[in-house]
């Protein structure tokens, strides 16, 4: 004897399953074949203009929704292994390069890259295993830096004076 309630339930569940899987995914995969310089992405930042920046082991990549534009040391980066983005309230986006232990920045309205003028002081204060995890520019243009193997907070004033705060 056929149980019509069970048959109806099975048909209903199969119909729901079929239509729920019919939707297209809203995600799109991008990789080296689509224009990224590397498959190693360390950080992602979306600017106010909608463009998306990728920090990779082969420089920075800018995606405008249609194509990628890639930047490396030939375009003014102090190093190719870019680990992080640190957006600031003044419209600058600061970045950190791993092997050179150097900071640089670019403006929200992109017009090129600028190396931090006191990178040499950073490198003197850092051990080879130091990695910047946070970077903040305050209202006096003092840069506050924290991270792995930094032992507290490193402050560098706009005049290059270095101060350490240990906690």
């Amino acid at each position: 004897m056929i149980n019509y309630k069970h048959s109806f339930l099975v048909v209903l569940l199969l119909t729901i399953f079929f239509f729920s899987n019919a939707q297209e995914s809203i995600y799109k995969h991008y990789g080296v074949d689509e224009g990224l310089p590397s498959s190693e992405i360390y950080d992602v930042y979306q600017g106010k203009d909608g463009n998306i920046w990728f920090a990779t082991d082969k420089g920075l990549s800018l995606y405008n929704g249609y194509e990628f534009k890639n930047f490396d040391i030939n375009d003014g980066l102090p190093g190719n292994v870019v680990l992080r983005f640190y957006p600031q309230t003044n419209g600058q986006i600061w970045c950190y390069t791993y092997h050179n232990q150097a900071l640089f920045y670019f403006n929200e309205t992109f017009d090129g890259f600028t190396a931090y003028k006191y990178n040499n002081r950073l490198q003197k204060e850092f051990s080879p295993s130091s990695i910047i995890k946070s970077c903040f520019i305050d209202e006096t243009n003092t840069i506050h830096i924290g991270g792995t193997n930094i032992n507290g907070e490193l402050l560098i004033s706009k005049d290059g004076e270095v101060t350490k705060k240990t906690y």
Side-chain angles (χ1 to χ4, degrees), residues 52-90:
I52 300 173
W53 289 88
F54 297 91
T56 78
D57 66 328
K58 293 185 179 175
L60 291 179
S61 187
L62 173 63
Y63 182 65
N64 64 10
Y66 301 101
E67 62 187 356
F68 290 93
K69 182 170 183 180
N70 301 316
F71 304 94
D72 59 20
I73 57 172
N74 297 318
D75 301 299
L77 301 184
N80 281 336
V81 181
V82 181
L83 294 183
R84 303 282 306 256
F85 294 107
Y86 309 99
Q88 305 297 315
T89 57
N90 65 1

Side-chain angles (χ1 to χ4, degrees), residues 25-136:
S25 174
I26 61 171
Y27 300 100
K28 182 164 177 155
H29 174 79
Y30 293 103
V32 177
D33 291 340
E34 288 76 30
L36 277 168
S38 171
S39 60
E40 288 188 44
I41 308 295
Y42 299 118
D43 201 6
V44 178
Y45 170 75
Q46 184 170 12
K48 293 176 185 171
D49 58 3
N51 291 335
I52 300 173
W53 289 88
F54 297 91
T56 78
D57 66 328
K58 293 185 179 175
L60 291 179
S61 187
L62 173 63
Y63 182 65
N64 64 10
Y66 301 101
E67 62 187 356
F68 290 93
K69 182 170 183 180
N70 301 316
F71 304 94
D72 59 20
I73 57 172
N74 297 318
D75 301 299
L77 301 184
N80 281 336
V81 181
V82 181
L83 294 183
R84 303 282 306 256
F85 294 107
Y86 309 99
Q88 305 297 315
T89 57
N90 65 1
Q92 294 175 337
I93 294 83
W94 285 67
C95 303
Y96 175 66
T97 62
Y98 178 65
H99 295 298
N100 300 62
Q101 292 183 317
L103 287 168
F104 68 95
Y105 65 91
F106 59 93
N107 294 313
E108 185 75 42
T109 54
F110 182 70
D111 59 353
F113 302 104
T114 304
Y116 179 49
K117 64 182 172 181
Y118 298 120
N119 275 328
N120 59 339
R121 300 212 176 135
L122 278 178
Q123 293 156 354
K124 287 179 186 175
E125 296 293 331
F126 285 179
S127 72
S129 61
S130 295
I131 298 175
I132 294 176
K133 298 284 187 172
S134 64
C135 175
F136 169 71

